[in-house]
Amino acid sequence: EKVRRMKLQQLLFGDGGPSSLVRAIGVPLYRGIVAYLRSHICTERGAVVYKLDVSAFIKCLKPLTIPEGVDALVVDRLLRLLNETSGLLVAAVENIREVKNSGLLQELLSNEEKVEYLKMRADLR
């Protein structure tokens, strides 16, 4: 429940309390993956590659979500958010509004952050 109420900044930077090795590894990896992925422009084919890359990253980081506790839930929530970002790239242009106002994208990302993902799309440049 506590993790569900956290905003993206709290997930990324913590709540001031001590963090576990899971969070100490998982959060910087998430941030690095996001920075890497957002540095690219995606064509329609590139969006599919992005989705596959995200799935591979999530598969590699999934062991960090196995331990019990808040920090594993934080990492899991960030990975689910990362997965949902691919929807912004693969959605048809007419469906973007619906995608960006759903799930964790609506809950955790500001409009400015969503626009940063949408700027990756070659068809919206």
Side-chain angles (χ1 to χ4, degrees), residues 37 42 46-54 82 85-86 89 117 120:
L37 291 171
C42 291
V48 173
V49 171
Y50 176 99
K51 189 171 179 77
L52 292 172
D53 286 350
V54 165
L82 181 63
T85 63
S86 62
L89 303 178
Y117 282 98
M120 294 171 59

Side-chain angles (χ1 to χ4, degrees), residues 29-97:
L29 282 172
Y30 165 82
R31 291 169 65 191
I33 291 167
V34 167
Y36 168 75
L37 291 171
R38 283 177 43 178
S39 69
H40 294 80
I41 302 298
C42 291
T43 60
E44 192 173 315
R45 182 170 181 241
V48 173
V49 171
Y50 176 99
K51 189 171 179 77
L52 292 172
D53 286 350
V54 165
S55 294
F57 287 132
I58 290 171
K59 185 177 178 181
C60 290
L61 295 176
K62 204 64 174 167
L64 294 175
T65 66
I66 293 170
E68 297 276 329
V70 171
D71 291 339
L73 293 173
V74 165
V75 173
D76 181 66
R77 193 159 170 87
L78 291 171
L79 294 178
R80 287 187 294 122
L81 173 63
L82 181 63
N83 188 51
E84 288 187 24
T85 63
S86 62
L88 292 170
L89 303 178
V90 298
V93 173
E94 59 272 10
N95 296 331
I96 289 174
R97 180 166 297 186

Side-chain angles (χ1 to χ4, degrees), residues 9 14-15 18-19 25 30-32 35 39 43 56 59 62 70 83 98 101-103 113-115 117:
Q9 294 302 314
D15 56 3
S19 63
I25 293 172
Y30 165 82
R31 291 169 65 191
S39 69
T43 60
K59 185 177 178 181
K62 204 64 174 167
V70 171
N83 188 51
E98 181 181 326
N101 294 322
S102 66
E113 290 166 317
K114 292 173 203 170
V115 166
Y117 282 98

